[in-house]
PDB file of all heavy atoms in Angstrom:
ATOM      1  N   LEU A   1       0.799  -1.204   0.001  1.00  0.00           N
ATOM      2  CA  LEU A   1       0.008   0.026  -0.011  1.00  0.00           C
ATOM      3  C   LEU A   1       0.851   1.261   0.009  1.00  0.00           C
ATOM      4  O   LEU A   1       0.573   2.244  -0.729  1.00  0.00           O
ATOM      5  CB  LEU A   1      -0.942   0.014   1.224  1.00  0.00           C
ATOM      6  CG  LEU A   1      -2.113  -0.969   1.139  1.00  0.00           C
ATOM      7  CD1 LEU A   1      -2.804  -1.082   2.488  1.00  0.00           C
ATOM      8  CD2 LEU A   1      -3.117  -0.579   0.043  1.00  0.00           C
ATOM      9  N   ASP A   2       1.899   1.267   0.786  1.00  0.00           N
ATOM     10  CA  ASP A   2       2.808   2.392   0.817  1.00  0.00           C
ATOM     11  C   ASP A   2       3.496   2.538  -0.544  1.00  0.00           C
ATOM     12  O   ASP A   2       3.682   3.645  -1.065  1.00  0.00           O
ATOM     13  CB  ASP A   2       3.870   2.221   1.904  1.00  0.00           C
ATOM     14  CG  ASP A   2       3.349   2.591   3.285  1.00  0.00           C
ATOM     15  OD1 ASP A   2       2.207   3.009   3.368  1.00  0.00           O
ATOM     16  OD2 ASP A   2       4.119   2.409   4.270  1.00  0.00           O
ATOM     17  N   LYS A   3       3.780   1.402  -1.159  1.00  0.00           N
ATOM     18  CA  LYS A   3       4.435   1.418  -2.471  1.00  0.00           C
ATOM     19  C   LYS A   3       3.548   2.081  -3.510  1.00  0.00           C
ATOM     20  O   LYS A   3       4.010   2.850  -4.383  1.00  0.00           O
ATOM     21  CB  LYS A   3       4.803  -0.033  -2.899  1.00  0.00           C
ATOM     22  CG  LYS A   3       5.499  -0.184  -4.257  1.00  0.00           C
ATOM     23  CD  LYS A   3       5.764  -1.643  -4.499  1.00  0.00           C
ATOM     24  CE  LYS A   3       6.367  -1.849  -5.862  1.00  0.00           C
ATOM     25  NZ  LYS A   3       6.666  -3.331  -6.075  1.00  0.00           N
ATOM     26  N   VAL A   4       2.266   1.737  -3.469  1.00  0.00           N
ATOM     27  CA  VAL A   4       1.344   2.356  -4.412  1.00  0.00           C
ATOM     28  C   VAL A   4       1.223   3.851  -4.191  1.00  0.00           C
ATOM     29  O   VAL A   4       1.202   4.664  -5.109  1.00  0.00           O
ATOM     30  CB  VAL A   4      -0.094   1.715  -4.263  1.00  0.00           C
ATOM     31  CG1 VAL A   4      -1.151   2.496  -5.012  1.00  0.00           C
ATOM     32  CG2 VAL A   4      -0.057   0.249  -4.805  1.00  0.00           C
ATOM     33  N   ASP A   5       1.187   4.241  -2.928  1.00  0.00           N
ATOM     34  CA  ASP A   5       1.117   5.684  -2.591  1.00  0.00           C
ATOM     35  C   ASP A   5       2.313   6.443  -3.156  1.00  0.00           C
ATOM     36  O   ASP A   5       2.167   7.496  -3.770  1.00  0.00           O
ATOM     37  CB  ASP A   5       1.016   5.906  -1.126  1.00  0.00           C
ATOM     38  CG  ASP A   5      -0.439   5.750  -0.577  1.00  0.00           C
ATOM     39  OD1 ASP A   5      -1.332   5.829  -1.435  1.00  0.00           O
ATOM     40  OD2 ASP A   5      -0.605   5.605   0.603  1.00  0.00           O
ATOM     41  N   ILE A   6       3.483   5.898  -2.915  1.00  0.00           N
ATOM     42  CA  ILE A   6       4.725   6.572  -3.350  1.00  0.00           C
ATOM     43  C   ILE A   6       4.816   6.581  -4.864  1.00  0.00           C
ATOM     44  O   ILE A   6       5.341   7.583  -5.466  1.00  0.00           O
ATOM     45  CB  ILE A   6       5.937   5.851  -2.726  1.00  0.00           C
ATOM     46  CG1 ILE A   6       5.984   6.163  -1.213  1.00  0.00           C
ATOM     47  CG2 ILE A   6       7.258   6.252  -3.421  1.00  0.00           C
ATOM     48  CD1 ILE A   6       7.092   5.434  -0.491  1.00  0.00           C
ATOM     49  N   SER A   7       4.282   5.599  -5.521  1.00  0.00           N
ATOM     50  CA  SER A   7       4.320   5.580  -7.012  1.00  0.00           C
ATOM     51  C   SER A   7       3.519   6.710  -7.636  1.00  0.00           C
ATOM     52  O   SER A   7       3.732   6.979  -8.832  1.00  0.00           O
ATOM     53  CB  SER A   7       3.801   4.217  -7.503  1.00  0.00           C
ATOM     54  OG  SER A   7       2.380   4.126  -7.351  1.00  0.00           O
ATOM     55  N   THR A   8       2.639   7.306  -6.890  1.00  0.00           N
ATOM     56  CA  THR A   8       1.868   8.450  -7.480  1.00  0.00           C
ATOM     57  C   THR A   8       2.582   9.787  -7.335  1.00  0.00           C
ATOM     58  O   THR A   8       2.092  10.775  -7.871  1.00  0.00           O
ATOM     59  CB  THR A   8       0.526   8.527  -6.754  1.00  0.00           C
ATOM     60  OG1 THR A   8       0.734   8.866  -5.373  1.00  0.00           O
ATOM     61  CG2 THR A   8      -0.248   7.257  -6.792  1.00  0.00           C
ATOM     62  N   LEU A   9       3.682   9.812  -6.642  1.00  0.00           N
ATOM     63  CA  LEU A   9       4.472  11.081  -6.475  1.00  0.00           C
ATOM     64  C   LEU A   9       5.344  11.307  -7.699  1.00  0.00           C
ATOM     65  O   LEU A   9       5.844  10.398  -8.303  1.00  0.00           O
ATOM     66  CB  LEU A   9       5.309  11.002  -5.236  1.00  0.00           C
ATOM     67  CG  LEU A   9       4.554  10.737  -3.901  1.00  0.00           C
ATOM     68  CD1 LEU A   9       5.597  10.536  -2.766  1.00  0.00           C
ATOM     69  CD2 LEU A   9       3.598  11.839  -3.594  1.00  0.00           C
ATOM     70  N   PRO A  10       5.537  12.586  -8.040  1.00  0.00           N
ATOM     71  CA  PRO A  10       6.441  12.976  -9.163  1.00  0.00           C
ATOM     72  C   PRO A  10       7.846  12.360  -8.998  1.00  0.00           C
ATOM     73  O   PRO A  10       8.479  11.954  -9.920  1.00  0.00           O
ATOM     74  CB  PRO A  10       6.477  14.501  -9.149  1.00  0.00           C
ATOM     75  CG  PRO A  10       5.164  14.878  -8.512  1.00  0.00           C
ATOM     76  CD  PRO A  10       4.932  13.818  -7.467  1.00  0.00           C
ATOM     77  N   SER A  11       8.313  12.287  -7.739  1.00  0.00           N
ATOM     78  CA  SER A  11       9.672  11.788  -7.452  1.00  0.00           C
ATOM     79  C   SER A  11       9.783  10.290  -7.735  1.00  0.00           C
ATOM     80  O   SER A  11      10.885   9.755  -7.787  1.00  0.00           O
ATOM     81  CB  SER A  11      10.043  12.059  -5.993  1.00  0.00           C
ATOM     82  OG  SER A  11       9.118  11.432  -5.132  1.00  0.00           O
ATOM     83  N   ALA A  12       8.639   9.610  -7.921  1.00  0.00           N
ATOM     84  CA  ALA A  12       8.701   8.166  -8.181  1.00  0.00           C
ATOM     85  C   ALA A  12       9.392   7.843  -9.508  1.00  0.00           C
ATOM     86  O   ALA A  12       9.890   6.731  -9.707  1.00  0.00           O
ATOM     87  CB  ALA A  12       7.289   7.583  -8.211  1.00  0.00           C
ATOM     88  N   LYS A  13       9.463   8.819 -10.391  1.00  0.00           N
ATOM     89  CA  LYS A  13      10.121   8.648 -11.699  1.00  0.00           C
ATOM     90  C   LYS A  13      11.618   8.959 -11.659  1.00  0.00           C
ATOM     91  O   LYS A  13      12.245   8.814 -12.701  1.00  0.00           O
ATOM     92  CB  LYS A  13       9.398   9.512 -12.760  1.00  0.00           C
ATOM     93  CG  LYS A  13       7.903   9.168 -12.968  1.00  0.00           C
ATOM     94  CD  LYS A  13       7.710   7.770 -13.442  1.00  0.00           C
ATOM     95  CE  LYS A  13       6.281   7.483 -13.719  1.00  0.00           C
ATOM     96  NZ  LYS A  13       6.059   6.053 -14.172  1.00  0.00           N
ATOM     97  N   GLU A  14      12.067   9.331 -10.543  1.00  0.00           N
ATOM     98  CA  GLU A  14      13.540   9.632 -10.428  1.00  0.00           C
ATOM     99  C   GLU A  14      14.314   8.361 -10.627  1.00  0.00           C
ATOM    100  O   GLU A  14      13.975   7.258 -10.176  1.00  0.00           O
ATOM    101  CB  GLU A  14      13.861  10.234  -9.067  1.00  0.00           C
ATOM    102  CG  GLU A  14      13.294  11.611  -8.800  1.00  0.00           C
ATOM    103  CD  GLU A  14      13.961  12.688  -9.673  1.00  0.00           C
ATOM    104  OE1 GLU A  14      15.011  12.426 -10.273  1.00  0.00           O
ATOM    105  OE2 GLU A  14      13.348  13.843  -9.732  1.00  0.00           O
ATOM    106  N   GLN A  15      15.438   8.484 -11.339  1.00  0.00           N
ATOM    107  CA  GLN A  15      16.279   7.270 -11.622  1.00  0.00           C
ATOM    108  C   GLN A  15      16.897   6.755 -10.359  1.00  0.00           C
ATOM    109  O   GLN A  15      16.864   5.540 -10.093  1.00  0.00           O
ATOM    110  CB  GLN A  15      17.388   7.671 -12.607  1.00  0.00           C
ATOM    111  CG  GLN A  15      18.110   6.422 -13.150  1.00  0.00           C
ATOM    112  CD  GLN A  15      19.152   6.780 -14.177  1.00  0.00           C
ATOM    113  OE1 GLN A  15      19.873   7.750 -13.987  1.00  0.00           O
ATOM    114  NE2 GLN A  15      19.150   6.157 -15.320  1.00  0.00           N
ATOM    115  N   GLU A  16      17.400   7.605  -9.496  1.00  0.00           N
ATOM    116  CA  GLU A  16      18.105   7.190  -8.265  1.00  0.00           C
ATOM    117  C   GLU A  16      17.070   6.956  -7.144  1.00  0.00           C
ATOM    118  O   GLU A  16      16.217   7.778  -6.898  1.00  0.00           O
ATOM    119  CB  GLU A  16      19.107   8.216  -7.844  1.00  0.00           C
ATOM    120  CG  GLU A  16      20.207   8.488  -8.886  1.00  0.00           C
ATOM    121  CD  GLU A  16      21.114   7.303  -9.094  1.00  0.00           C
ATOM    122  OE1 GLU A  16      21.067   6.360  -8.309  1.00  0.00           O
ATOM    123  OE2 GLU A  16      21.906   7.340 -10.087  1.00  0.00           O
ATOM    124  N   ALA A  17      17.205   5.801  -6.417  1.00  0.00           N
ATOM    125  CA  ALA A  17      16.291   5.505  -5.418  1.00  0.00           C
ATOM    126  C   ALA A  17      16.270   6.529  -4.287  1.00  0.00           C
ATOM    127  O   ALA A  17      15.211   6.793  -3.659  1.00  0.00           O
ATOM    128  CB  ALA A  17      16.573   4.097  -4.813  1.00  0.00           C
ATOM    129  N   TYR A  18      17.432   7.092  -3.950  1.00  0.00           N
ATOM    130  CA  TYR A  18      17.549   8.028  -2.849  1.00  0.00           C
ATOM    131  C   TYR A  18      16.823   9.340  -3.110  1.00  0.00           C
ATOM    132  O   TYR A  18      16.630  10.161  -2.202  1.00  0.00           O
ATOM    133  CB  TYR A  18      18.997   8.270  -2.512  1.00  0.00           C
ATOM    134  CG  TYR A  18      19.817   9.031  -3.473  1.00  0.00           C
ATOM    135  CD1 TYR A  18      19.756  10.423  -3.547  1.00  0.00           C
ATOM    136  CD2 TYR A  18      20.615   8.368  -4.408  1.00  0.00           C
ATOM    137  CE1 TYR A  18      20.495  11.156  -4.503  1.00  0.00           C
ATOM    138  CE2 TYR A  18      21.374   9.063  -5.333  1.00  0.00           C
ATOM    139  CZ  TYR A  18      21.287  10.444  -5.369  1.00  0.00           C
ATOM    140  OH  TYR A  18      22.029  11.114  -6.339  1.00  0.00           O
ATOM    141  N   LEU A  19      16.411   9.566  -4.351  1.00  0.00           N
ATOM    142  CA  LEU A  19      15.736  10.828  -4.681  1.00  0.00           C
ATOM    143  C   LEU A  19      14.169  10.756  -4.470  1.00  0.00           C
ATOM    144  O   LEU A  19      13.513  11.682  -4.721  1.00  0.00           O
ATOM    145  CB  LEU A  19      16.050  11.203  -6.105  1.00  0.00           C
ATOM    146  CG  LEU A  19      17.497  11.552  -6.404  1.00  0.00           C
ATOM    147  CD1 LEU A  19      17.669  11.847  -7.879  1.00  0.00           C
ATOM    148  CD2 LEU A  19      17.909  12.772  -5.566  1.00  0.00           C
ATOM    149  N   ARG A  20      13.690   9.579  -4.065  1.00  0.00           N
ATOM    150  CA  ARG A  20      12.259   9.424  -3.780  1.00  0.00           C
ATOM    151  C   ARG A  20      12.075   8.937  -2.333  1.00  0.00           C
ATOM    152  O   ARG A  20      13.013   8.424  -1.752  1.00  0.00           O
ATOM    153  CB  ARG A  20      11.614   8.475  -4.756  1.00  0.00           C
ATOM    154  CG  ARG A  20      12.103   7.005  -4.603  1.00  0.00           C
ATOM    155  CD  ARG A  20      11.332   6.107  -5.562  1.00  0.00           C
ATOM    156  NE  ARG A  20      11.684   4.682  -5.323  1.00  0.00           N
ATOM    157  CZ  ARG A  20      12.692   4.032  -5.959  1.00  0.00           C
ATOM    158  NH1 ARG A  20      13.406   4.700  -6.827  1.00  0.00           N
ATOM    159  NH2 ARG A  20      12.934   2.776  -5.720  1.00  0.00           N
ATOM    160  N   PRO A  21      10.895   9.136  -1.760  1.00  0.00           N
ATOM    161  CA  PRO A  21      10.629   8.656  -0.433  1.00  0.00           C
ATOM    162  C   PRO A  21      10.839   7.150  -0.329  1.00  0.00           C
ATOM    163  O   PRO A  21      10.445   6.463  -1.249  1.00  0.00           O
ATOM    164  CB  PRO A  21       9.167   9.033  -0.189  1.00  0.00           C
ATOM    165  CG  PRO A  21       8.877  10.174  -1.141  1.00  0.00           C
ATOM    166  CD  PRO A  21       9.726   9.880  -2.354  1.00  0.00           C
ATOM    167  N   GLN A  22      11.404   6.745   0.745  1.00  0.00           N
ATOM    168  CA  GLN A  22      11.624   5.306   0.930  1.00  0.00           C
ATOM    169  C   GLN A  22      10.344   4.696   1.606  1.00  0.00           C
ATOM    170  O   GLN A  22       9.781   5.297   2.466  1.00  0.00           O
ATOM    171  CB  GLN A  22      12.861   5.074   1.805  1.00  0.00           C
ATOM    172  CG  GLN A  22      14.146   5.453   1.099  1.00  0.00           C
ATOM    173  CD  GLN A  22      14.547   4.427   0.034  1.00  0.00           C
ATOM    174  OE1 GLN A  22      15.055   3.349   0.353  1.00  0.00           O
ATOM    175  NE2 GLN A  22      14.299   4.808  -1.263  1.00  0.00           N
ATOM    176  N   ILE A  23      10.039   3.477   1.225  1.00  0.00           N
ATOM    177  CA  ILE A  23       8.964   2.770   1.853  1.00  0.00           C
ATOM    178  C   ILE A  23       9.450   2.310   3.199  1.00  0.00           C
ATOM    179  O   ILE A  23      10.590   1.843   3.381  1.00  0.00           O
ATOM    180  CB  ILE A  23       8.557   1.535   1.030  1.00  0.00           C
ATOM    181  CG1 ILE A  23       8.321   1.950  -0.472  1.00  0.00           C
ATOM    182  CG2 ILE A  23       7.332   0.858   1.573  1.00  0.00           C
ATOM    183  CD1 ILE A  23       8.097   0.784  -1.382  1.00  0.00           C
ATOM    184  N   TYR A  24       8.593   2.439   4.211  1.00  0.00           N
ATOM    185  CA  TYR A  24       8.950   2.025   5.583  1.00  0.00           C
ATOM    186  C   TYR A  24       9.303   0.573   5.622  1.00  0.00           C
ATOM    187  O   TYR A  24       8.549  -0.285   5.235  1.00  0.00           O
ATOM    188  CB  TYR A  24       7.805   2.346   6.537  1.00  0.00           C
ATOM    189  CG  TYR A  24       7.993   1.856   7.944  1.00  0.00           C
ATOM    190  CD1 TYR A  24       9.096   2.309   8.671  1.00  0.00           C
ATOM    191  CD2 TYR A  24       7.107   0.970   8.528  1.00  0.00           C
ATOM    192  CE1 TYR A  24       9.310   1.816   9.969  1.00  0.00           C
ATOM    193  CE2 TYR A  24       7.291   0.521   9.800  1.00  0.00           C
ATOM    194  CZ  TYR A  24       8.414   0.950  10.520  1.00  0.00           C
ATOM    195  OH  TYR A  24       8.626   0.503  11.800  1.00  0.00           O
ATOM    196  N   GLU A  25      10.495   0.226   6.195  1.00  0.00           N
ATOM    197  CA  GLU A  25      11.007  -1.108   6.209  1.00  0.00           C
ATOM    198  C   GLU A  25      10.814  -1.864   7.525  1.00  0.00           C
ATOM    199  O   GLU A  25      11.113  -3.067   7.606  1.00  0.00           O
ATOM    200  CB  GLU A  25      12.485  -1.052   5.857  1.00  0.00           C
ATOM    201  CG  GLU A  25      12.788  -0.538   4.426  1.00  0.00           C
ATOM    202  CD  GLU A  25      14.261  -0.572   4.084  1.00  0.00           C
ATOM    203  OE1 GLU A  25      15.080  -0.723   5.044  1.00  0.00           O
ATOM    204  OE2 GLU A  25      14.608  -0.445   2.914  1.00  0.00           O
ATOM    205  N   GLY A  26      10.390  -1.146   8.570  1.00  0.00           N
ATOM    206  CA  GLY A  26      10.394  -1.695   9.899  1.00  0.00           C
ATOM    207  C   GLY A  26       9.686  -3.049  10.066  1.00  0.00           C
ATOM    208  O   GLY A  26      10.245  -3.940  10.646  1.00  0.00           O
ATOM    209  N   GLU A  27       8.497  -3.179   9.514  1.00  0.00           N
ATOM    210  CA  GLU A  27       7.752  -4.416   9.724  1.00  0.00           C
ATOM    211  C   GLU A  27       8.356  -5.585   8.981  1.00  0.00           C
ATOM    212  O   GLU A  27       8.415  -6.692   9.513  1.00  0.00           O
ATOM    213  CB  GLU A  27       6.307  -4.233   9.291  1.00  0.00           C
ATOM    214  CG  GLU A  27       5.490  -3.336  10.282  1.00  0.00           C
ATOM    215  CD  GLU A  27       3.999  -3.393  10.016  1.00  0.00           C
ATOM    216  OE1 GLU A  27       3.485  -4.435   9.448  1.00  0.00           O
ATOM    217  OE2 GLU A  27       3.300  -2.408  10.384  1.00  0.00           O
ATOM    218  N   LEU A  28       8.826  -5.342   7.769  1.00  0.00           N
ATOM    219  CA  LEU A  28       9.487  -6.434   7.048  1.00  0.00           C
ATOM    220  C   LEU A  28      10.796  -6.834   7.681  1.00  0.00           C
ATOM    221  O   LEU A  28      11.079  -8.081   7.771  1.00  0.00           O
ATOM    222  CB  LEU A  28       9.745  -6.002   5.597  1.00  0.00           C
ATOM    223  CG  LEU A  28       8.512  -5.870   4.716  1.00  0.00           C
ATOM    224  CD1 LEU A  28       8.874  -5.241   3.361  1.00  0.00           C
ATOM    225  CD2 LEU A  28       7.858  -7.233   4.473  1.00  0.00           C
ATOM    226  N   LYS A  29      11.540  -5.915   8.186  1.00  0.00           N
ATOM    227  CA  LYS A  29      12.803  -6.263   8.865  1.00  0.00           C
ATOM    228  C   LYS A  29      12.517  -7.011  10.139  1.00  0.00           C
ATOM    229  O   LYS A  29      13.315  -7.906  10.529  1.00  0.00           O
ATOM    230  CB  LYS A  29      13.610  -4.987   9.116  1.00  0.00           C
ATOM    231  CG  LYS A  29      14.259  -4.425   7.880  1.00  0.00           C
ATOM    232  CD  LYS A  29      15.161  -3.240   8.163  1.00  0.00           C
ATOM    233  CE  LYS A  29      15.943  -2.809   6.933  1.00  0.00           C
ATOM    234  NZ  LYS A  29      16.814  -1.645   7.202  1.00  0.00           N
ATOM    235  N   LYS A  30      11.435  -6.721  10.774  1.00  0.00           N
ATOM    236  CA  LYS A  30      11.039  -7.441  12.013  1.00  0.00           C
ATOM    237  C   LYS A  30      10.701  -8.886  11.688  1.00  0.00           C
ATOM    238  O   LYS A  30      11.070  -9.799  12.432  1.00  0.00           O
ATOM    239  CB  LYS A  30       9.843  -6.766  12.687  1.00  0.00           C
ATOM    240  CG  LYS A  30       9.490  -7.388  14.045  1.00  0.00           C
ATOM    241  CD  LYS A  30       8.350  -6.664  14.711  1.00  0.00           C
ATOM    242  CE  LYS A  30       7.988  -7.268  16.034  1.00  0.00           C
ATOM    243  NZ  LYS A  30       6.868  -6.578  16.719  1.00  0.00           N
TER     244      LYS A  30
END
């Protein structure tokens, strides 16, 4: 769901990953 939300932002088209918001990793890492 967070991935879908971020994909709607203009920054989602940036080539470098660090130029767009990162999806929260806490639950997956847990």
